[in-house]
Amino acid sequence: MANFKYQDMLIENGDVVLDAGRNPVLIQDRAVIAQDIKHAILESQLAVALIAERSPSKKADIRTKLELLIEEDIRLIPGTVQLEEPKEGTIFIFAKTIDFGELELELVNV
């Protein structure tokens, strides 16, 4: 049996994902970190505020709040979080984890 540092059930669209045998699909390590960050962002409502905001200065403030929220995760290397908003409704998050290398996360239509 493989040893994982982190393991969790895969959640998509607010529901547990089940395999063909109706068992929860499990994710490990980097995917768990990405899922935890995504849930923290969605619970904070900052992504919705960023997409809804039109003022460039207020958008910058929300981006800073998002970065600080993500940086709170102790599994990430401090100072490595980067956000990109290539188009309306899409946010890309890039960071480096302490144990698992690069992390990429995409939030679409939050």
Side-chain angles (χ1 to χ4, degrees), residues 25-89:
V25 173
L26 299 178
I27 56 174
Q28 295 80 27
D29 299 332
R30 187 184 342 201
V32 172
I33 297 169
Q35 180 169 276
D36 290 348
I37 291 169
K38 180 178 180 179
H39 289 157
I41 291 169
L42 293 175
E43 289 170 10
S44 74
Q45 294 291 311
L46 288 172
V48 174
L50 179 65
I51 292 168
E53 186 57 58
R54 296 291 172 238
S55 166
S57 62
K58 289 183 181 178
K59 282 181 87 81
D61 289 344
I62 296 168
R63 287 173 58 90
T64 300
K65 288 178 184 178
L66 261 175
E67 288 177 9
L68 291 173
L69 174 69
I70 297 165
E71 291 259 351
E72 288 179 6
D73 194 314
I74 61 172
R75 300 168 291 185
L76 298 179
I77 297 172
T80 63
V81 174
Q82 295 179 355
L83 299 177
E84 291 183 16
E85 194 178 1
K87 63 180 180 176
E88 192 69 31

Side-chain angles (χ1 to χ4, degrees), residues 77-102:
I77 297 172
T80 63
V81 174
Q82 295 179 355
L83 299 177
E84 291 183 16
E85 194 178 1
K87 63 180 180 176
E88 192 69 31
T90 302
I91 302 169
F92 289 111
I93 301 162
F94 303 97
K96 292 183 182 174
T97 65
I98 292 173
D99 296 319
F100 309 108
E102 300 286 332

